[in-house]
Amino acid sequence: MSADPAIHATVRRAGPFADPAHRRRYRLVLAGLVLGALVVTALLLCWDNPYVPFSERWLRISRMRVSGVLVIAVVTFCQAFATIAFQTTTNNRIITPSIMGFESLYVLIQTAIVFFFGVAGLSGLDPFTRFLLQSALMVLFAVLLYSWLLSGRFGNLHVMLLIGIILGTGMGALSTFLQQMLDPNEFDVLAARLFGSITNANTDFLWFVIPVCAAAGGAIWMLSTRLDLLALGRDISTNLGLNHKRQVMLTLTLVAVLSAMSTSLFGPMTFLGFLVATLAYAIADTYDHRLLLPIACLLGYVALGLAYFLLKHVFTLVSAVTIIVELIGGVVFLIVILRKGRL
């Protein structure tokens, strides 16, 4: 005898999608974002190129623009992976890695170099050495903070976040104090370095940044199933066999590496990661990190790339790209806070 069809109709299946329509919608969104990313890339490489398409001069100009496209791709990749992994680990979709003081430490390092050694010290130090130094300090700061707080008698993520906020505020205040005593000319040079900009990013270091970011991002991708468990909370993930503390330490270290690379290459970007993560959660509507991460990366690339294209070729306000993106991200942050009514 065949089974009752009504029984089959009520069978529930577990998976990243609630139903086939949800899966189709995800695939359509992913395909649309891939197409949008290709269009944005083509616009950035080909727009306003006066020479004959695919001629030697046309290709030369397009190759010169590749570095800007790579910077956008690297920054959005780091911000998307770091923010989603950080929010999953801390079980909070409001906070971002910047809240732990990464950007404040970056600002303090740059300010201290100018304050103690002057502009000559800032320009005299080998750029790659300075890049490695500030990146290593940011990662070391994060790892020491995680190790101390997660292994101490508190052993609490909320305590770690609170202390991270306090340290970030303190470093920001110290940076402001040092900047007040700088010569106006030195302050102008410093301000240019503290402002996130695609055009001012040092593309000479992409040969180093891309492999490091690919390794850290690839590790997060490989740990996606464990992130799915972390999202369930400490007790449930532990009961399911996950070493919660070790997994949190590993994930936060990878987040620190991505945040350090992004900030050292591009400069501070407080709300870009929050913006792309929030939109990815809403669009993908799934718990599976293997599905969330590509959506977040593509969203960030399309948003930042389109903003850069419009403000460079249409409105000729290329220096305002970071301001516009941060403004939109800040507005989205306030909307989310007001809707939730809590952090």
Side-chain angles (χ1 to χ4, degrees), residues 174-187:
L174 179 59
S175 300
T176 302
F177 174 73
L178 295 177
Q179 291 170 11
Q180 293 294 324
M181 295 187 289
L182 290 177
D183 178 85
N185 295 324
E186 293 178 338
F187 180 79

Side-chain angles (χ1 to χ4, degrees), residues 105-123:
L105 181 60
Y106 170 81
V107 172
L108 179 59
I109 292 172
Q110 298 290 329
T111 303
I113 292 175
V114 174
F115 181 81
F116 290 108
F117 303 104
V119 176
L122 187 63
S123 58

Side-chain angles (χ1 to χ4, degrees), residues 2-242:
S2 60
D4 188 353
I7 297 178
H8 289 287
T10 58
V11 172
R12 300 183 62 183
R13 295 179 174 85
F17 301 110
D19 49 54
H22 186 190
R23 181 184 293 107
R24 288 194 296 271
R25 190 188 72 175
Y26 175 86
R27 291 175 178 174
L28 288 174
V29 170
L30 182 63
L33 288 174
V34 170
L35 179 61
L38 293 175
V39 171
V40 169
T41 303
L43 288 174
L44 291 174
L45 294 178
C46 305
W47 189 267
D48 201 23
N49 192 333
Y51 299 103
V52 178
F54 303 105
S55 65
E56 181 181 354
R57 292 184 177 181
W58 187 91
L59 291 174
R60 188 181 306 165
I61 292 177
S62 296
R63 283 194 294 266
M64 292 172 60
R65 298 177 178 180
V66 168
S67 58
V69 174
L70 288 177
V71 169
I72 295 173
V74 170
V75 170
T76 52
F77 175 84
C78 292
Q79 292 284 340
F81 270 65
T83 302
I84 288 181
F86 186 79
Q87 291 180 346
T88 298
T89 304
T90 57
N91 199 21
N92 191 314
R93 292 190 177 181
I94 297 296
I95 56 179
T96 62
S98 61
I99 203 170
M100 294 300 298
F102 290 112
E103 295 177 358
S104 299
L105 181 60
Y106 170 81
V107 172
L108 179 59
I109 292 172
Q110 298 290 329
T111 303
I113 292 175
V114 174
F115 181 81
F116 290 108
F117 303 104
V119 176
L122 187 63
S123 58
L125 185 65
D126 179 63
F128 186 64
T129 302
R130 185 175 67 247
F131 179 87
L132 286 179
L133 177 62
Q134 64 192 19
S135 300
L137 285 175
M138 283 188 278
V139 175
L140 182 63
F141 164 78
V143 172
L144 290 177
L145 183 64
Y146 303 153
S147 302
W148 170 46
L149 293 175
L150 293 180
S151 62
R153 63 188 182 92
F154 296 105
N156 191 311
L157 277 171
H158 300 292
V159 174
M160 182 191 72
L161 294 173
L162 180 60
I163 293 180
I165 294 172
I166 295 172
L167 291 176
T169 303
M171 287 186 289
L174 179 59
S175 300
T176 302
F177 174 73
L178 295 177
Q179 291 170 11
Q180 293 294 324
M181 295 187 289
L182 290 177
D183 178 85
N185 295 324
E186 293 178 338
F187 180 79
D188 288 341
V189 174
L190 175 63
R193 293 183 176 272
L194 299 182
F195 185 75
S197 174
I198 297 172
T199 54
N200 291 337
N202 199 329
T203 56
D204 295 336
F205 305 149
L206 287 174
W207 64 269
F208 174 80
V209 173
I210 291 177
V212 172
C213 293
I220 290 178
W221 175 264
M222 296 297 293
L223 297 172
S224 294
T225 53
R226 298 186 183 183
L227 291 176
D228 296 340
L229 294 179
L230 280 180
L232 299 175
R234 181 189 184 94
D235 295 335
I236 297 178
S237 60
T238 301
N239 289 334
L240 291 174
L242 184 68

